[in-house]
Amino acid sequence: MTAFKPLVFSGVQPTGNLHLGNYLGAIRKFVALQADNDCIYCVVDLHSITAQLVHEDLKGQIRSIAAAFIASGIDPEKHIVFNQSAVPQHAELAWIFNCVARIGWMNRMTQFKDKAGKDRENASLGLLAYPSLMAADILVYRGTHVPVGDDQKQHLELARDIAMKFNLDFRDNIRATGTGVDILVGDEPVHAYFPMVEPMIEGPAPRVMSLRDGTKKMSKSDPSDLSRINLMDDAETISKKIRKAKTDPEALPSEAEGLKGRPEAENLVGIYAALSDRSKADVLSEFGGQQFSTFKPALVDLAVTVLSPITAEMRRLMDDTAHIDAILRNGGERARARAEKTMAEVSDIIGFLR
Ligand code: TYM
């Protein structure tokens, strides 16, 4: 039994300001995974036009995500950083996946239901097909591991369903072309062209919540800026937002169990843990029994210490657009070379002449 070569892939949309949820749920994990893995990190500009077609300064938004990647510590020479539209094979494979996936699968996606709202008939076809493009992003490199926040879990399950259906529908052609790999899916041996992607969601902050309401996800679209910490916020703003964050009147518990039913406390402890690479239990062993009036200033100090250098570096990089553009162009070329190889094999498996 052979296996796919491990490859980490993930993407971030160039829409609005990056916030602490994006950083802790995704980018900080991207950085940590570099040491032991081959990694590809993508600014998914094709995805950004699914919900809203026209964007003010989309080029600037794309550059700012690339700047955030690099300022956070991603090495664009050892790994690949690029923007999705530079590699047309993402859209090409997404078309094939549109023919593999079923409309019913897409209709069940909670993000589609949330984003389309009541007027589903008026949502773009691209918004419905969004997860198919996301599967193509990963699988055009035959990516195996995908670090994301908890909100992307359902999309990654769908990517597995698409990969599985392709592998089974084209089983004979995959064998005939000699392009497959023997894997186990559960106990079942499968001769696969595409791997079953593994979501990497674990960690103390897989779902960072709003600072104003511990039951709502921290999000770019929340009308209240006090609900989130943006990666471009200065120290004073971070301090103000954490001081104003909603809490309850109790002291912090000494064990993680005690956070149950206290969403705001759990969120702030999770943020502290993720920013300091510790577990929630470990943080509570230090702060258990203390009031938020003690914990919040410690969290402000930690957040400012971790985020300020990233913000400063992002600003510096964004002043040098030629440098960022060169990184993206170089990453795009290296990504394209890999994606072309996959698409040549996929075309052969399907039976296209080219
Ligand atoms: P996007 O751009 O909305 O978010 C980027 C990453 O940030 C994570 N995230 C969070 N994590 C924890 N707490 C939060 N409050 C929070 N908010 C956002 C997201 O889970 C994500 O990891 N569909 C994706 C982009 C994408 C992609 C891909 C990801 C396109 N193709 C292929 C992985 C692989 C999205 O819209 O992420």
Side-chain angles (χ1 to χ4, degrees), residues 9-15 18-26 30 44 47 84 111 115 130 133-135 137-138 146-152 155-156 205-209 217-220:
F9 181 95
S10 198
V12 175
Q13 291 199 58
T15 44
L18 282 176
H19 53 69
L20 190 63
N22 301 124
Y23 177 68
L24 295 179
F30 300 176
V44 290
H47 275 109
Q84 193 182 24
Q111 284 217 347
K115 286 193 183 160
Y130 181 113
L133 177 60
M134 187 163 154
D137 295 338
I138 305 160
V146 186
V148 281
D150 176 68
D151 60 340
Q152 297 301 316
H155 288 156
L156 294 181
R207 193 177 185 84
V208 177
M209 308 308 271
K217 192 179 76 169
M218 183 178 285
S219 140
K220 298 170 192 175

Side-chain angles (χ1 to χ4, degrees), residues 2 10 46 68 71 78-79 87 89 101 107 139 147-148 165 174 179 198 213 218 220 223 289 294 305-306 321 347:
T2 51
S10 198
L46 297 175
K78 284 210 186 91
H79 302 277
V87 180
Q89 286 77 12
N107 274 327
L139 294 173
V148 281
K165 186 168 188 307
I174 294 169
T179 50
E198 297 283 347
D213 176 351
M218 183 178 285
K220 298 170 192 175
T294 314
T305 306
V306 174
T321 52
S347 298

Side-chain angles (χ1 to χ4, degrees), residues 21 42 105 115 133 138 200 223 256 260 283 325 332 334:
C42 183
W105 299 2
K115 286 193 183 160
L133 177 60
I138 305 160
M200 305 178 86
K260 285 221 173 85
V283 172
D325 291 2
R334 286 155 58 216

Side-chain angles (χ1 to χ4, degrees), residues 179-222:
T179 50
V181 169
D182 288 314
I183 57 168
L184 276 180
V185 181
D187 295 335
E188 208 50 40
V190 176
H191 191 64
Y193 182 75
F194 288 119
M196 297 289 113
V197 300
E198 297 283 347
M200 305 178 86
I201 298 176
E202 54 292 320
R207 193 177 185 84
V208 177
M209 308 308 271
S210 155
L211 298 180
R212 305 301 295 163
D213 176 351
T215 63
K216 264 181 29 195
K217 192 179 76 169
M218 183 178 285
S219 140
K220 298 170 192 175
S221 54
D222 194 313

